[in-house]
Amino acid sequence: VVFAQNQRSRRTGFTLVEVMIVIALIGLLSVIATPSLIKARQQTTGTAMANSFRIFDGAFEQFRMDTGTWPAADWARGAYPVGMQNWLPAAWLAESPVGGFYAFAPSAADIILSRPDIPIPIMLHVDNVLDDGDLLTGRVRGDNDSLVLRIE
């Protein structure tokens, strides 16, 4: 009876094997969860960008309906196109979720987000939300340097 009581009192912590198993399980769970978390973050960023493009598209369309013309060219990133202060929200002046600023090209009626290396999955998500899901066709176009929404 004394031997059993001493045996119980000596075992107060975890063995090395138990600790290693817990660490291995945590590592395995993190390896499984990481791709899902990355994809969810990309989709969230893409949805935020798509919503910004949608709001900007509506603002430029409203400007055109009210004035009969597109605003004058203003390629200054992070600044309102001439005359658009009352139509565009403050988000136009802010950096996009992937970095870079928005600009407007009146010659083609394009809203442009220029930034090198916008992740392709994010651009595809924006295209899926706003257009046909193909970055080479439709209203949303993308390449390595920019994402463009053509206003129709």
Side-chain angles (χ1 to χ4, degrees):
V1 176
V2 174
F3 178 75
Q5 195 174 27
N6 286 341
Q7 192 73 332
R8 259 189 252 130
S9 64
R10 282 194 292 179
R11 179 150 186 199
T12 59
F14 296 106
T15 67
L16 180 60
V17 172
E18 290 170 334
V19 171
M20 290 178 63
I21 289 172
V22 168
I23 290 172
L25 287 173
I26 291 171
L28 181 64
L29 290 173
S30 68
V31 166
I32 292 170
T34 299
S36 297
L37 294 174
I38 290 171
K39 185 175 180 180
R41 184 173 183 188
Q42 288 175 339
Q43 286 181 340
T44 302
T45 301
T47 300
M49 288 176 58
N51 288 337
S52 292
F53 272 116
R54 191 177 287 134
I55 291 167
F56 301 154
D57 180 38
F60 280 100
E61 283 289 352
Q62 188 65 44
F63 181 89
R64 189 170 135 231
M65 288 191 308
D66 290 349
T67 65
T69 185
W70 295 113
D74 187 355
W75 285 94
R77 307 272 191 259
Y80 287 117
V82 176
M84 288 292 297
Q85 295 83 347
N86 296 329
W87 279 269
L88 285 170
W92 179 267
L93 302 176
E95 194 173 44
S96 81
V98 293
F101 292 92
Y102 299 97
F104 177 68
S107 59
D110 288 340
I111 299 170
I112 303 165
L113 172 61
S114 293
R115 180 192 176 272
D117 302 325
I118 299 172
I120 298 294
I122 292 175
M123 289 196 296
L124 285 171
H125 185 75
V126 171
D127 197 10
N128 281 325
V129 170
L130 297 176
D131 197 24
D132 61 1
D134 184 352
L135 290 169
L136 300 175
T137 63
R139 294 182 62 206
V140 177
R141 306 282 175 108
D143 59 26
N144 290 338
D145 296 326
S146 63
L147 186 62
V148 177
L149 173 68
R150 172 126 324 139
I151 303 172
E152 293 182 338

